[in-house]
Amino acid sequence: MRRLIFQEYVTLDGYAAGPDGGLEFFDAIGAAPDTDNLELLDSVDTMLLGAETYRLFAGFWPTEASAGEPIAEKLNALRLVVVSTTLTSAPWGDYEPGLVVRDLDAVRALKAEQTGKDIILWGSITLFQSLLRAGLVDEVQLRICPVLLGAGKSAFPSGGSPVALELVEARPWGVGGVLVRYQPR
């Protein structure tokens, strides 16, 4: 079975976006080359997104390959799958358009495919929370930025049953940040 890896940049207090949806806190880790994600992209062949993150990414990543962004080339070559009940298509610039699926059963089927590498889920907090509750997330990677926002959009579900996690790795990352990787128990 293919693994589903969720990766998110978060503040030290667990927010994935500011109160206004802003992501300015990303700047706190500096502009060092993202060799970790270049390496991660070699282990995945599918990018899973929710509709909101898809719209954000589609307006940026397809044009970054021509701007020399090293991650863009690998990211744009991934198979794109968008989970949405509202989108009917998922164009991706000059690249292969994404596949739109409607529910978590489609994600289960994607994970069960006999061939293929791992699947990466970036952003897409609402989708992540649903996938986590359904037991479909195999790894949670947090790139913790050294910023406290005090309010914003939490990366984690509130209410419901606790989700026990086992630490796989923790190490410094960027300028003052920490990369942590967990697996649900």
Side-chain angles (χ1 to χ4, degrees), residues 145-185:
C145 299
V147 174
L148 296 171
L149 288 182
K153 184 173 184 177
S154 177
F156 309 104
S158 59
S161 301
V163 177
L165 302 170
E166 180 179 326
L167 182 65
V168 174
E169 178 183 19
R171 63 180 164 81
W173 164 76
V175 178
V178 179
L179 168 67
V180 292
R181 296 175 46 224
Y182 291 95
Q183 292 177 338
R185 287 190 184 163

Side-chain angles (χ1 to χ4, degrees), residues 6-63:
F6 168 71
Q7 184 187 88
E8 184 62 63
Y9 286 64
V10 296
T11 62
L12 186 57
D13 48 357
Y15 294 107
D20 61 354
L23 303 174
E24 295 81 10
F25 69 88
F26 284 20
D27 297 336
I29 50 87
D34 198 350
T35 55
D36 290 342
N37 268 335
L38 286 170
E39 193 175 302
L40 174 67
L41 287 171
D42 288 335
S43 71
V44 301
D45 64 3
T46 304
M47 176 173 44
L48 184 66
L49 299 173
E52 187 176 328
T53 303
Y54 157 74
R55 288 182 191 99
L56 178 72
F57 276 32
F60 180 78
W61 287 111
T63 61

Side-chain angles (χ1 to χ4, degrees), residues 67-81:
E69 171 62 49
I71 287 180
E73 184 179 332
K74 288 185 177 191
L75 187 144
N76 288 326
L78 296 175
R79 174 183 176 196
L80 172 63
V81 178

